[in-house]
Amino acid sequence: MATPSIKTILLVVTNAAIAIMWARVLVTMAQLALDGVEDHEEWCQSALKPALRDAIAFSFIEILNALTGLTRSKPTSVALFVLARASIEILVGPELPCACWQHMFTGFMWSVGEINRFTCFTIDGITGGSDTAKSIRYSVGPVAFFLGTLGEVLMLIKLLFLEDPTRPLALHYFIWLNVILWPFAFMMLFKQLLKQKRKHFRTLAMKKDN
């Protein structure tokens, strides 16, 4: 049996770590229902928000992996993806009630998408390439990505309609600009994801024909 390369070991370890951090977010959310938490806002501030921020912080490892050539991902695309989520959670999140459904929905879809993505990456690294893992990733990924981005836009819209007499007019229009432009940035990444999905399933079909 061939010894795994340092590159493979690094990718498996970092991908597994990111998947675990996002799984922690889902476990934290599950505690809300299982423990019968009464003060949702206090629970969100003390438990969910730290878990989300830790998961986002770990996600920056993906940028480093792309920059150092450990993955074939474009560093600019990865950075856009990670920084968009970080800006939503760090800049928009504190302006909204932490336990509002828009924030909860967004965090949930981020978690589902990233657990799917990085668990499949980890399996891929361990097995040396798994068609099953790729098929799951490309089946779940686009749905989770679309719904996660929808949640981000809904958070921005909620922020727009929160009354804040101290908010400068320029900032108000800047938020509107983000609401309008956010879907366009999403479409760039989404089209790339769909292209990868079509290529994967086309390759699978060719293998079956042969």
Side-chain angles (χ1 to χ4, degrees):
M1 185 177 177
T3 304
S5 66
I6 297 297
K7 174 183 174 180
T8 299
I9 293 171
L10 281 173
L11 282 175
V12 167
V13 170
T14 54
N15 287 334
I18 297 171
I20 289 168
M21 294 306 293
W22 283 104
R24 178 181 165 225
V25 174
L26 277 191
V27 170
T28 304
M29 287 186 165
Q31 289 174 344
L32 173 64
L34 296 175
D35 296 346
V37 177
E38 293 184 2
D39 190 341
H40 291 187
E41 186 64 24
E42 193 280 331
W43 162 83
C44 186
Q45 292 286 352
S46 63
L48 181 59
K49 184 175 284 188
L52 268 171
R53 293 195 173 187
D54 288 347
I56 289 171
F58 264 73
S59 294
F60 277 85
I61 295 172
E62 188 180 9
I63 300 177
L64 293 177
N65 287 346
L67 286 170
T68 54
L70 287 177
T71 66
R72 290 179 294 176
S73 301
K74 295 179 181 178
T76 50
S77 297
V78 176
L80 175 63
F81 182 66
V82 175
L83 290 171
R85 288 186 172 176
S87 65
I88 285 289
E89 183 59 29
I90 294 169
L91 300 177
V92 179
E95 301 299 319
L96 303 176
C98 183
C100 69
W101 72 265
Q102 292 91 340
H103 184 230
M104 298 286 288
F105 173 78
T106 304
F108 177 77
M109 292 316 309
W110 285 350
S111 301
V112 170
E114 297 302 74
I115 291 168
N116 167 68
R117 201 158 65 94
F118 287 101
T119 299
C120 290
F121 284 156
T122 303
I123 294 170
D124 229 12
I126 293 171
T127 61
S130 167
D131 286 338
T132 302
K134 285 188 177 73
S135 295
I136 294 171
R137 175 159 61 93
Y138 287 128
S139 297
V140 177
V143 178
F145 185 35
F146 173 81
L147 293 176
T149 305
L150 175 63
E152 294 163 13
V153 173
L154 290 173
M155 284 178 66
L156 285 166
I157 291 172
K158 182 172 179 61
L159 178 60
L160 269 177
F161 290 97
L162 280 180
E163 291 187 10
D164 183 359
T166 64
R167 181 187 299 160
L169 188 61
L171 178 58
H172 182 80
Y173 286 121
F174 179 72
I175 298 170
W176 262 118
L177 182 65
N178 275 278
V179 170
I180 295 167
L181 295 181
W182 212 262
F184 290 98
F186 154 77
M187 282 305 300
M188 290 167 51
L189 298 175
F190 193 64
K191 284 171 67 176
Q192 183 179 331
L193 180 57
L194 291 180
K195 182 180 178 181
Q196 293 170 349
K197 177 181 178 178
R198 285 192 295 269
K199 181 180 178 182
H200 167 69
F201 284 106
R202 187 165 54 242
T203 303
L204 276 186
M206 290 172 64
K207 284 182 181 178
K208 289 179 181 178
D209 291 341
N210 294 332

